[in-house]
């Protein structure tokens, strides 16, 4: 059941990355969930050590990438074409997202992978020690959860409507 949920999260993340936002981290979270499950029986010390190590290495990778990435390697012509595709129709935007997916996933792995792994392992350690106990189920919580789900549904419908109308809207905006 746990792996089925992670599979659904990965699939939802892939769809989200292709059709809505290319910087999606849901696929990364599903993969980290599998890794966390594999390490669930590790000692508390090992879990905390991995959390600390992943956090430090993640910060160093981020700092190094910001220093090392040369501006001279920037291809302005390719970037102009990418920008034109992102301002085009829904299908032009989608095909550009698919083309950008390898670079995007590499970026997400470098900039989010190890820090997220660190937070996942800290969460495992905190959960074992019940540092953040679950909130008591109350009527207010149930009402809030229902309102949140209703808002998410309305947001999803609005997003889908926007996608369906994107060709018409893009044509109006480009005139």
């Amino acid at each position: 059941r746990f792996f089925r949920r992670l599979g659904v999260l990965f699939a939802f993340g892939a769809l989200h990355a292709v059709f809505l936002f290319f910087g999606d981290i849901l696929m990364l979270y599903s993969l980290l969930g599998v890794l966390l499950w594999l390490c669930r029986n590790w000692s508390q010390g090992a879990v905390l050590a991995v959390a600390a190590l992943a956090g430090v290495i993640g910060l160093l990778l981020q700092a190094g990438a910001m220093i090392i990435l040369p501006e001279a390697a920037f291809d302005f012509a390719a970037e102009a074409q990418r920008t034109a595709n992102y301002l085009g129709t829904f299908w032009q935007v989608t095909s550009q997202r698919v083309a950008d997916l390898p670079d995007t996933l590499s970026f997400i792995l470098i900039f989010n992978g190890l820090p997220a792994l660190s937070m996942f392992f800290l969460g495992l350690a905190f959960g074992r020690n019940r540092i953040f106990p679950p909130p008591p189920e109350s009527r207010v919580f149930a009402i809030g959860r229902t309102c949140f789900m209703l808002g998410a549904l309305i947001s999803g419908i609005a997003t889908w409507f926007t996608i369906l109308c994107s060709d018409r809207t893009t044509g109006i905006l480009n005139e």
Side-chain angles (χ1 to χ4, degrees):
R1 181 176 168 157
F2 181 72
F3 288 106
R4 184 177 28 171
R5 287 180 178 176
L6 289 177
V8 169
L9 181 64
F10 187 89
F12 184 74
L15 290 172
H16 190 261
V18 169
F19 291 111
L20 294 175
F21 178 64
F22 59 86
D24 190 81
I25 58 172
L26 297 177
M27 292 183 292
L28 173 66
Y29 283 179
S30 69
L31 296 175
L32 291 177
V34 171
L35 181 62
L36 192 68
W37 185 86
L38 293 173
C39 302
R40 72 190 185 284
N41 294 323
W42 286 12
S43 70
Q44 190 76 348
V47 168
L48 289 172
V50 169
L53 189 63
V56 169
I57 292 173
L59 286 174
L60 291 174
L61 276 175
Q62 289 176 357
M66 298 304 279
I67 293 169
I68 293 172
L69 292 176
E71 289 185 28
F74 192 76
D75 185 354
F76 289 98
E79 188 62 27
Q81 182 58 49
R82 287 180 68 243
T83 301
N85 288 342
Y86 276 119
L87 294 174
T89 66
F90 172 74
W91 295 112
Q92 288 172 319
V93 172
T94 301
S95 64
Q96 186 62 52
R97 283 193 193 115
V98 170
D100 288 345
L101 206 52
D103 291 337
T104 301
L105 294 177
S106 300
F107 178 84
I108 289 171
L109 187 62
I110 291 171
F111 279 88
N112 295 338
L114 288 173
L117 176 66
S118 177
M119 295 298 110
F120 273 52
F121 273 72
L122 276 178
L124 176 61
F126 287 179
R128 285 179 176 172
N129 291 320
R130 301 207 184 278
I131 291 177
F132 299 115
E137 186 72 26
S138 68
R139 183 180 171 126
V140 172
F141 182 76
I143 291 171
R145 182 178 53 218
T146 303
C147 290
F148 172 79
M149 294 304 289
L150 183 60
L153 177 65
I154 291 169
S155 176
I157 292 170
T159 301
W160 185 248
F161 181 74
T162 302
I163 290 169
L164 290 176
C165 296
S166 68
D167 286 337
R168 237 178 284 146
T169 306
T170 303
I172 293 170
L173 294 175
N174 287 336
E175 290 178 0

